[in-house]
Amino acid sequence: MTQFTGMNGMPAYVAVNGVVYDVTNNAAWSLATHFGLKAGNDLTGEFASCHAGQNWILAQLKPVGRLV
């Protein structure tokens, strides 16, 4: 997943709770960053600390796979 950083023509993916989401065209993830977080990473802990109980945020993103 680390190659999906949104750089060099690659899509921007983030993982939360084992699900990988495409944030490439999400306005909150312009330039493949969001409040200092970078695409290409598992952001489960960061999501929980900022958006706990806000699963509607994840529902707006396209799931593209699962972390194994």
Side-chain angles (χ1 to χ4, degrees):
M1 186 172 120
T2 59
Q3 69 270 27
F4 296 103
T5 61
M7 307 302 272
N8 300 319
M10 295 297 290
Y13 291 173
V14 298
V16 177
N17 298 325
V19 179
V20 179
Y21 297 93
D22 185 345
V23 296
T24 304
N25 296 313
N26 185 285
W29 278 90
S30 65
L31 301 176
T33 64
H34 177 69
F35 291 100
L37 302 173
K38 295 182 186 256
N41 292 291
D42 182 350
L43 302 176
T44 299
E46 292 83 351
F47 185 86
S49 70
C50 296
H51 301 301
Q54 297 182 27
N55 291 330
W56 61 270
I57 293 171
L58 296 176
Q60 296 178 36
L61 301 175
K62 178 183 175 186
V64 293
R66 294 198 56 83
L67 284 181
V68 290

